[in-house]
Amino acid sequence: MNLTPEQEQIGKDNFNEAVSLTRRDFITAAAATTTGLGAAYFGYEKLKGKPVKVGFIGTGDEGSVLITQHPPEYMEIVAIADLRPSNRKKAIHGHGNEHRVGLINKLGQEKASQIQQFEDHKQLIAAKDQLGLEAVVIAVPLSQHAPIAMAALDAGLHVLSEKLMAHNITECKDLIKKADEKKLLLAVGHQRHYSVLYDNANQLVKTGLLGDIRHIRAQWHRNNSFPGRDSWRKKVPKEDAQALADKVKEFGYDDMDELVNWRLYNKTGGGLMAELGSHQLDACSIFLGKVHPLAVQGYGGKNFYGVEGIGSKDKQEDDREIDDHVYVTFEFPGPNYDAETNPRDVCIVTYSSINTNRWEPYGETVLGSRGTLIMKTEKEALLFKESSPSTGGGGPDQRLWVINSNDGSGPVLDAYETTAPSAGASDTSQAMGDKISRGYTEEMEHFCHCIRTNNFKGPFEGGLKCNGTVAMADAIMALTSNLAMKHKIRIEFKPEWFDPNDPATPEAEFSDKLA
């Protein structure tokens, strides 16, 4: 749904209004902090002692985002490693944009010059004692997440790996077992778990303000149809080709194109569901109480790239293996679901990702019986009330406020006629700041905090919010949806897939059944 600027502002004011009234004391305390909201908001103390010494393995697009967002008061980067010389150079000097500023701009010339550079992860891990290394942050192509994480764990290092956790679920389970065996922390970068915006939105969902949620719609739409334009198709830099001509196969790649454009191939990537959909299915499952889905089905295809007569010549000659359009439907259990006694208490989550239109870029829309919550590009949250016989108006032009229900069941949405938001809405907006954090900084803060405090507790007990078990569930959703689309079947999820101690996996089951 495309809203006018006026309607969007009303939605943002409505969200802030609801947060201010349902979390007034908490927001007031958070607003009083003079630094980032991470420790104050998520309830852990500021780091005591020295920052954790960390090495970054992989300094490409995502690794450079993490370098830019890393918290120096919690994390000291002592080394970086990347196969590609061009990536190592960008890690130091930046990509020329605010999202990837580079270590010199982040830390200053003197500190940046002290960070050691290695040509691969093996060299960095081998130097761990010399570096005083305690942990690594991994942001490499998907197929190498598990091998490098396993090498780091074997070396006694804590691990924060980018999503998706691994290329298959067997690797996920092996990593969880290894981390437990070594008594090390294993975190995965589904950063919405550490987003203040998403956490506040989820609190509104948990209070029941949206009513009964029967449908969530999520999408990540992009338009890469223009000649020469494609964010996932990149040229191989000459300096990288020269430096790696004889080394690339040693690290799991057939050639340089597979290393640079790894997202396009099944051997190295996981397609749109792994790269984009996994983030948003994670967000949807958070809104539904982080429950595991019941089933998935969908369609995925190469409908644009490599299709004769469609698009420009470079698009028709594109040899990518992954789908360029995906549409999936998940069935999630509702709050009172029971397979025997209440099987129809189900919430449907739909997800689409396309490459030929960006009318609605990316986000999630939570559709409840009493209200609608719209999350836009991880930066904005909009809230709208449904019309009702008792409280009157609703929709995108209606301001709302929160009252206590007549039956004592909790807060509910009401509407009122005014042209301006309340002071509470303004206070909440100020408390969250002008620039909403996407959660990268907070996830790295908490990772380091858990290392320093030796915290191996679960997500609901103050431990890592996205540990191996949580992240494996996100990987299961993404990779099982790929199986459903590939084989054109509806797949029911099995509890044993989500059990780290059970060897059962969706890949093994369906490779056997469909062989």
Side-chain angles (χ1 to χ4, degrees):
M1 180 178 184
N2 286 277
L3 303 168
T4 66
E6 293 76 16
Q7 290 170 330
E8 287 207 7
Q9 188 61 53
I10 288 173
K12 285 187 277 188
D13 292 341
N14 285 346
F15 176 79
N16 291 331
E17 175 83 11
V19 170
S20 74
L21 290 170
T22 57
R23 313 193 78 195
R24 186 188 307 277
D25 293 340
F26 182 82
I27 290 297
T28 300
T33 63
T34 57
T35 57
L37 284 178
Y41 187 92
F42 291 111
Y44 53 87
E45 296 178 348
K46 283 289 186 183
L47 191 70
K48 295 177 180 177
K50 294 182 179 180
V52 176
K53 292 190 175 184
V54 175
F56 271 64
I57 300 173
T59 61
D61 289 344
E62 193 65 18
S64 289
V65 168
L66 294 171
I67 285 172
T68 299
Q69 294 291 327
H70 91 273
E73 62 272 28
Y74 286 77
M75 175 182 284
E76 180 187 356
I77 299 178
V78 296
I80 62 171
D82 198 295
L83 293 175
R84 299 171 55 186
S86 65
N87 280 350
R88 297 196 298 272
K89 187 181 298 181
K90 288 177 181 176
I92 300 298
H93 299 282
H95 291 235
N97 60 64
E98 63 175 325
H99 304 296
R100 302 172 182 87
V101 300
L103 287 162
I104 291 176
N105 289 321
K106 175 74 176 182
L107 301 174
Q109 178 70 50
E110 183 179 353
K111 284 188 177 180
S113 66
Q114 297 170 4
I115 295 172
Q116 294 195 41
Q117 299 183 44
F118 296 93
E119 294 180 357
D120 59 64
H121 72 279
K122 296 177 183 179
Q123 294 177 7
L124 185 148
I125 291 174
K128 66 184 181 67
D129 294 335
Q130 166 203 335
L131 296 167
L133 205 61
E134 299 173 82
V136 294
V137 174
I138 300 170
V140 297
L142 174 57
S143 61
Q144 295 304 304
H145 283 186
I148 293 177
M150 189 64 77
L153 292 169
D154 274 328
L157 301 171
H158 302 284
V159 170
L160 168 57
S161 176
E162 252 309 308
K163 62 87 193 131
L164 209 55
M165 182 178 176
H167 205 229
N168 60 65
I169 305 308
T170 296
E171 290 180 333
C172 293
K173 295 189 175 188
D174 288 344
L175 287 172
I176 293 171
K177 291 175 186 175
K178 179 63 70 173
D180 289 344
E181 172 194 320
K182 291 283 190 177
K183 295 181 172 53
L184 294 165
L185 290 166
L186 172 62
V188 181
H190 288 283
Q191 76 273 2
R192 282 172 175 79
H193 287 272
Y194 288 97
S195 165
V196 172
L197 185 71
Y198 273 83
D199 193 72
N200 272 309
N202 193 38
Q203 290 298 323
L204 298 187
V205 172
K206 289 165 69 174
T207 63
L209 279 179
L210 298 186
D212 294 313
I213 298 170
R214 300 290 86 183
H215 179 44
I216 301 178
R217 180 172 62 88
Q219 79 284 328
W220 196 317
H221 295 172
R222 305 174 300 166
N223 193 335
N224 289 318
S225 67
F226 300 96
R229 174 190 172 90
D230 187 345
S231 57
W232 283 9
R233 170 70 74 182
K234 300 176 181 178
K235 294 181 179 179
V236 177
K238 288 184 179 179
E239 62 179 316
D240 293 347
Q242 292 171 354
L244 295 167
D246 301 322
K247 289 182 63 176
V248 68
K249 290 187 178 181
E250 176 188 345
F251 293 93
Y253 306 98
D254 290 340
D255 52 37
M256 281 300 300
D257 181 62
E258 200 173 73
L259 168 61
V260 173
N261 294 309
W262 59 272
R263 290 183 176 90
L264 306 182
Y265 304 108
N266 294 325
K267 176 187 170 184
T268 46
L272 292 168
M273 288 307 301
E275 290 303 306
L276 305 181
S278 62
H279 273 311
Q280 295 180 276
L281 265 297
D282 179 52
C284 293
S285 67
I286 289 173
F287 290 137
L288 296 174
K290 209 53 188 167
V291 294
H292 297 153
L294 300 169
V296 63
Q297 56 191 312
Y299 170 84
K302 287 179 62 179
N303 299 348
F304 179 70
Y305 292 103
V307 180
E308 184 178 352
I310 300 298
S312 54
K313 185 178 180 182
D314 63 316
K315 309 302 180 183
Q316 295 181 45
E317 295 175 349
D318 193 288
D319 65 349
R320 73 188 58 205
E321 296 173 351
I322 64 163
D323 296 334
D324 51 46
H325 281 58
V326 298
Y327 311 86
V328 293
T329 300
F330 283 82
E331 301 161 40
F332 278 86
N336 302 300
Y337 173 84
D338 184 276
E340 299 296 328
T341 63
N342 199 18
R344 292 187 289 119
D345 182 16
V346 172
C347 177
I348 302 300
V349 174
T350 59
Y351 179 76
S352 60
S353 184
I354 66 177
N355 269 275
T356 52
N357 187 286
R358 67 179 308 275
W359 190 249
E360 294 179 306
Y362 80 93
E364 305 85 35
T365 303
V366 185
L367 298 148
S369 59
R370 297 295 179 266
T372 299
L373 174 68
I374 301 174
M375 308 300 292
K376 290 187 61 179
T377 63
E378 299 179 72
K379 300 173 184 175
E380 298 175 339
L382 286 63
L383 180 64
F384 300 103
K385 175 187 170 295
E386 283 287 287
S387 300
S388 79
S390 59
T391 60
D397 297 305
Q398 188 74 58
R399 294 192 180 276
L400 60 79
W401 62 315
V402 179
I403 62 172
N404 288 322
S405 60
N406 293 328
D407 60 8
S409 60
V412 296
L413 300 180
D414 203 346
Y416 66 101
E417 296 298 330
T418 182
T419 58
S422 72
S426 177
D427 290 343
T428 306
S429 177
Q430 292 174 10
M432 286 207 247
D434 295 328
K435 198 167 186 178
I436 299 294
S437 169
R438 294 175 63 190
Y440 291 115
T441 301
E442 291 79 2
E443 75 178 359
M444 287 184 277
E445 279 187 1
H446 195 220
F447 175 59
C448 293
H449 186 273
C450 287
I451 291 173
R452 277 286 172 266
T453 57
N454 201 32
N455 184 349
F456 286 84
K457 295 178 181 178
F460 299 107
E461 303 167 304
L464 294 170
K465 290 179 176 292
C466 193
N467 60 22
T469 302
V470 173
M472 182 175 71
D474 292 322
I476 290 171
M477 286 191 289
L479 298 177
T480 304
S481 67
N482 281 346
L483 286 171
M485 289 185 287
K486 177 182 178 180
H487 298 296
K488 297 180 170 58
I489 55 176
R490 176 179 178 271
I491 296 179
E492 293 185 2
F493 292 89
K494 294 189 174 182
E496 55 265 34
W497 296 348
F498 298 90
D499 181 355
N501 297 312
D502 193 307
T505 67
E507 297 98 342
E509 179 161 338
F510 283 91
S511 63
D512 292 341
K513 284 184 178 180
L514 301 168

